Amino acid sequence: MSIKDNLNTIKSELHEGVTLVAVSKTKPNKDILEAYEVGQRIFGENKVQEMVQKWEDLPKDIEWHMIGHVQRNKVKYMAEFVSLIHGVDSPRLLKEINKQAKKHDRVVPCLLQIHIAEEDTKFGLDKAELEELIESDAFKTMENIKIVGLMGMATFTDDESQVRREFAQLKSMFDDLKTKLNDITILSMGMSGDYRLAIEEGSTMVRIGSSIFGARNYT
Ligand SMILES: *Cc1c(COP(=O)(O)O)cnc(C)c1O
């Protein structure tokens, strides 16, 4: 199937209130334009340099989401244009985003990445770290970032009940955060392999790559 067909099939499955981020990492501009032609405007990338290059080359009404792990020294390259940063997992990173956003007189929307997978991965805050961050004085004085929700990745497994449990845990942290901060509207969970489960568990934003653009070739 073509990119257009894939995209239209997936969009027909998403009910109202679920936003699609088309994950275009490693894919060429012509693939992105094919999705653009059928109305897709939100694209996700996981490397800052690649996203900057695509932002320069492609139509300016595309909203670019940074979905990958962000190194602090790369924030300055995307602060001017990035629409949403999904993977914020430390106070130091948040502070740097705030600093760079200020230079461009912007308020950059961010999601805090939560570690929900039972498998061991490096990235994401746990519940205590999330609490600590939002209670901190430093956070309260940051005027050029806005936390708008949470992001998480479930364990890569066939065990549906485990994936469901991890998404449910993130949803409950999301509901809790809504009682503590204003403007919490985005729960970014679900990829090609698990977005249907994620939506059933309350996702409001899915990040889908290979089911739209085909398998990635990293060589
Ligand atoms: C690559 C990536 C995706 C998309 O993965 P697919 O399985 O191709 O849909 C989603 N989220 C993050 C954080 C990614 O790095």
Side-chain angles (χ1 to χ4, degrees):
M1 285 221 295
S2 68
I3 291 170
K4 282 179 187 176
D5 292 339
N6 292 337
L7 195 56
N8 286 329
T9 305
I10 289 169
K11 281 204 294 201
S12 70
E13 289 176 31
L14 303 180
H15 52 74
E16 216 179 311
V18 180
T19 302
L20 172 63
V21 178
V23 175
S24 50
K25 63 192 185 196
T26 78
K27 297 295 176 181
N29 290 347
K30 72 166 176 40
D31 288 9
I32 297 174
L33 285 171
E34 188 175 338
Y36 181 90
E37 277 161 23
V38 286
Q40 183 65 28
R41 290 294 180 272
I42 304 177
F43 293 89
E45 292 285 334
N46 72 338
K47 296 227 160 49
V48 173
Q49 252 94 352
E50 184 176 345
M51 186 172 76
V52 169
Q53 190 62 53
K54 287 172 172 173
W55 168 67
E56 285 174 354
D57 294 344
L58 290 162
K60 286 293 173 286
D61 61 342
I62 288 178
E63 293 178 30
W64 293 103
H65 286 202
M66 175 43 61
I67 62 167
H69 184 70
V70 180
Q71 288 170 293
R72 269 176 297 136
N73 61 358
K74 302 276 173 63
V75 172
K76 57 179 175 285
Y77 303 114
M78 64 176 170
E80 181 183 351
F81 68 91
V82 66
S83 288
L84 183 63
I85 302 177
H86 290 235
V88 179
D89 66 351
S90 77
R92 292 166 81 203
L93 175 59
L94 201 57
K95 194 171 161 216
E96 177 65 13
I97 297 167
N98 186 62
K99 179 178 158 190
Q100 298 299 335
K102 196 182 175 77
K103 289 185 184 167
H104 296 281
D105 201 20
R106 294 188 66 207
V107 174
V108 171
C110 296
L111 303 177
L112 295 174
Q113 182 171 354
I114 305 299
H115 181 105
I116 50 168
E118 287 167 14
E119 72 188 344
D120 208 29
T121 60
K122 285 180 290 185
F123 304 124
L125 301 162
D126 63 27
K127 216 175 173 125
E129 290 166 331
L130 170 64
E131 294 281 311
E132 194 180 321
L133 194 160
I134 63 169
E135 299 294 335
S136 70
D137 291 337
F139 171 66
K140 288 171 188 160
T141 61
M142 291 183 197
E143 292 181 338
N144 296 80
I145 53 100
K146 185 159 92 172
I147 302 296
V148 294
L150 299 178
M151 180 272 219
M153 273 187 278
T155 303
F156 188 70
T157 170
D158 292 337
D159 183 349
E160 217 175 84
S161 64
Q162 181 180 345
V163 173
R164 222 180 249 291
R165 191 161 67 236
E166 292 172 2
F167 284 149
Q169 185 198 337
L170 185 58
K171 171 68 159 73
S172 112
M173 290 172 76
F174 174 70
D175 289 338
D176 183 57
L177 190 62
K178 278 183 178 176
T179 69
K180 295 176 174 154
L181 297 179
N182 295 322
D183 309 311
I184 300 299
T185 54
I186 299 176
L187 180 55
S188 169
M189 60 183 198
M191 322 186 0
S192 291
D194 57 19
Y195 71 91
R196 293 181 186 89
L197 283 181
I199 291 168
E200 284 173 25
E201 296 301 330
S203 171
T204 72
M205 185 172 275
V206 291
R207 310 174 308 269
I208 300 180
S210 41
S211 293
I212 298 172
F213 297 107
R216 285 177 293 275
N217 183 354
Y218 285 103
T219 57

